[in-house]
C-alpha cells in the first residue's frame, strides 16, 4: 500500500468520523427541541412560587464574634 493510498483512506475515515459526529449532534439538537415542545405543551415548565418564611429570625449579637476575629488578627500581626 502506497503513501497516497494510505492518505486517501485516512482522509476518507476522517470525513466519515466527522460526519457521524455531526449527524449525532444534529439528532441531539432535534431531540432537545422536541422535548422542549413536549414539556411546554404539558405545562411542566411552570414552577410554583416559593413561599416566604413566616417566622423571622431574631438578629444575633455578633459582637463576640467580631471581638474574637479582631483579637486573632491582632495576635497574628504581633507574631509576624
Amino acid at each position: 500500500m502506497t503513501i497516497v493510498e494510505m492518505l486517501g483512506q485516512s482522509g476518507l475515515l476522517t470525513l466519515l468520523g466527522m460526519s457521524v459526529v455531526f449527524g449525532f449532534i444534529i439528532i441531539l439538537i432535534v431531540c432537545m427541541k422536541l422535548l422542549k415542545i413536549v414539556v411546554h405543551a404539558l405545562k411542566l415548565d411552570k414552577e410554583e412560587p416559593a413561599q416566604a418564611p413566616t417566622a423571622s429570625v431574631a438578629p444575633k449579637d455578633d459582637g463576640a464574634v467580631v471581638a474574637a476575629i479582631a483579637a486573632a488578627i491582632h495576635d497574628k500581626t504581633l507574631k509576624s
Side-chain angles (χ1 to χ4, degrees):
M1 182 177 272
T2 65
I3 190 76
V4 175
E5 291 174 343
M6 290 190 333
L7 284 174
Q9 284 184 349
S10 63
L12 182 64
L13 186 61
T14 301
L15 289 177
L16 180 66
M18 290 173 64
S19 299
V20 168
V21 170
F22 185 73
F24 178 75
I25 290 173
I26 296 297
I27 292 170
L28 187 64
I29 290 171
V30 169
C31 288
M32 289 174 59
K33 290 194 181 279
L34 287 174
L35 184 62
K36 177 185 171 189
I37 292 170
V38 169
V39 167
H40 186 67
L42 295 176
K43 298 184 190 306
L44 297 174
D45 57 348
K46 306 291 182 201
E47 292 185 14
E48 296 178 10
Q51 303 253 343
T54 54
S56 63
V57 177
K60 290 192 320 194
D61 182 23
D62 289 335
V65 175
V66 172
I69 293 172
I73 292 173
H74 181 68
D75 186 47
K76 177 75 172 172
T77 56
L78 289 178
K79 289 184 180 178
S80 57

